[in-house]
Amino acid sequence: MEARMAKDGKKGIVAEFAEFINRGNVMDMAVGVIIGGAFTAVVNALVTNVIQPLISFVTGGAPGMPGLSIDLNGSVIDFSAFISAVINFLITAAAVFAIVKAMNEVNRLKDLAAEKAGLAKKAEEDAAPEPRVCPFCKQQIADNATRCPHCTSKLEGYENGAE
């Protein structure tokens, strides 16, 4: 998408915004935020419906752990909500860690399988060879050159019976 330039040579705000929106990483980020929101709902349900009842069963308290709050003249400091948020965070972090670790392992196995099948070249094979450089003028020359086309110096392999 070609952005239109203003009279002073700068992009217009609309063109700049359109270019920003059309970048691939913005769309990736949007998908990540949407998936993150859905994943948060799943983790919240797990904490509320599974973890907190288990903690209440073990500690013998109510699901909200009411003994972990302080009432200060109508303002309530609720430590149980904080503990629930920490548990929620730890579960989310562990799940994301497990997913990323699994995806990295899948990608590693996929690359290994492709390499074994001969579908992927090793990095050394993919790398372009270093260009040959004249030792005198430091200009790039052909690999099979015996004289430098830039400074006419005689290079390794030069043979001329007339000289």
Side-chain angles (χ1 to χ4, degrees), residues 79-134:
F79 293 107
S80 64
F82 175 73
I83 292 170
S84 294
V86 169
I87 291 170
N88 189 345
F89 168 75
L90 291 175
I91 291 170
T92 304
V96 169
F97 175 75
I99 290 169
V100 168
K101 188 129 175 93
M103 291 303 296
N104 287 342
E105 184 64 17
V106 166
N107 286 335
R108 187 186 71 78
L109 290 174
K110 181 184 73 169
D111 292 344
L112 186 64
E115 186 177 315
K116 282 187 177 181
L119 300 174
K121 294 181 181 178
K122 294 187 178 188
E124 304 90 48
E125 295 172 1
D126 289 344
E130 292 275 334
R132 186 173 174 205
V133 176
C134 174

